[in-house]
Amino acid sequence: MKDRILAISKGQFTYEPIKLQLSQDKLRLVVVSGRDATESFRLSNVRGTKVKGFVTTTDDIQITPQTFHGEDTEIHITFSASHVAAGTKMDGEIHIITDCGETSLPYTVEVVAPTITDKDGVVEDFRALEQRIAANLEDGALLFHSPSFKNVFLQDNEPETYLYTHLVKR
């Protein structure tokens, strides 16, 4: 203790920077084409004191809250795949700038095709639907009349959506 007091009196300080803690090393979002997906992570520091800063990214990702001040903050990341084709994979980084330093959190977004599920499994394209109808006409009709049929098979196809709407109208 005496050595430490002498070192401080001579102006020799040992300063340990406060390190940020993130609850995750990497974010992975899987989103259905035409929908949104949300993921979150927690931000704090090793000492448990308040952290003040902001979060940013260059991609089309919504971050809430963008600014924060607190001991333990939950940050929500939302990605909208409303105009992104299925099969698209995006990688990027979320930049976190705080009074405790800066860091980046890598993320991966994978956009998958929408599907319909029934008692026999997943139907994700017209070929699988055709096989399901050939195997059991009643199950095929139930899939055709399901509320999610239009979203899965007729995405952004206005003429076919119009035809489908009139076919199922009673």
Side-chain angles (χ1 to χ4, degrees):
M1 186 66 168
K2 182 179 178 184
D3 293 335
R4 188 164 181 211
I5 294 171
L6 283 171
I8 290 173
S9 68
K10 292 179 183 178
Q12 299 171 346
F13 299 98
T14 54
Y15 175 71
E16 184 178 321
I18 303 172
K19 293 183 182 177
L20 287 172
Q21 285 183 319
L22 300 177
S23 62
Q24 298 187 38
D25 300 359
K26 183 173 184 168
L27 292 176
R28 186 174 190 301
L29 286 94
V30 178
V31 59
V32 175
S33 180
R35 298 201 181 124
D36 296 349
T38 300
E39 183 66 52
S40 64
F41 65 94
R42 298 196 81 74
L43 174 73
S44 61
N45 68 37
V46 292
R47 292 188 186 167
T49 58
K50 288 187 177 183
V51 180
K52 180 169 69 171
F54 63 95
V55 184
T56 185
T57 186
T58 56
D59 296 317
D60 294 331
I61 291 181
Q62 183 181 355
I63 301 171
T64 50
Q66 288 184 324
T67 61
F68 56 90
H69 185 190
E71 293 176 15
D72 187 31
T73 305
E74 186 172 21
I75 308 291
H76 299 275
I77 308 299
T78 303
F79 179 79
S80 176
S82 58
H83 300 292
V84 181
T88 304
K89 189 174 181 182
M90 298 170 43
D91 294 314
E93 289 186 337
I94 297 166
H95 305 286
I96 305 161
I97 296 101
T98 71
D99 55 357
C100 297
E102 299 178 13
T103 190
S104 294
L105 180 64
Y107 67 85
T108 300
V109 176
E110 183 180 352
V111 182
V112 296
T115 59
I116 295 179
T117 305
D118 69 354
K119 66 179 181 164
D120 295 329
V122 175
V123 178
E124 52 191 32
D125 58 14
F126 278 114
R127 182 176 303 261
L129 178 64
E130 186 179 27
Q131 291 171 353
R132 196 65 52 88
I133 291 170
N136 187 335
L137 188 57
E138 288 180 18
D139 287 347
L142 287 174
L143 288 171
F144 185 76
H145 288 283
S146 99
S148 55
F149 181 88
K150 195 182 338 180
N151 295 334
V152 173
F153 294 105
L154 306 175
Q155 292 180 14
D156 300 328
N157 190 333
E158 204 170 308
E160 289 180 4
T161 302
Y162 180 77
L163 179 62
Y164 172 78
T165 304
H166 287 289
L167 283 173
V168 297
K169 194 190 248 186
R170 292 185 186 217

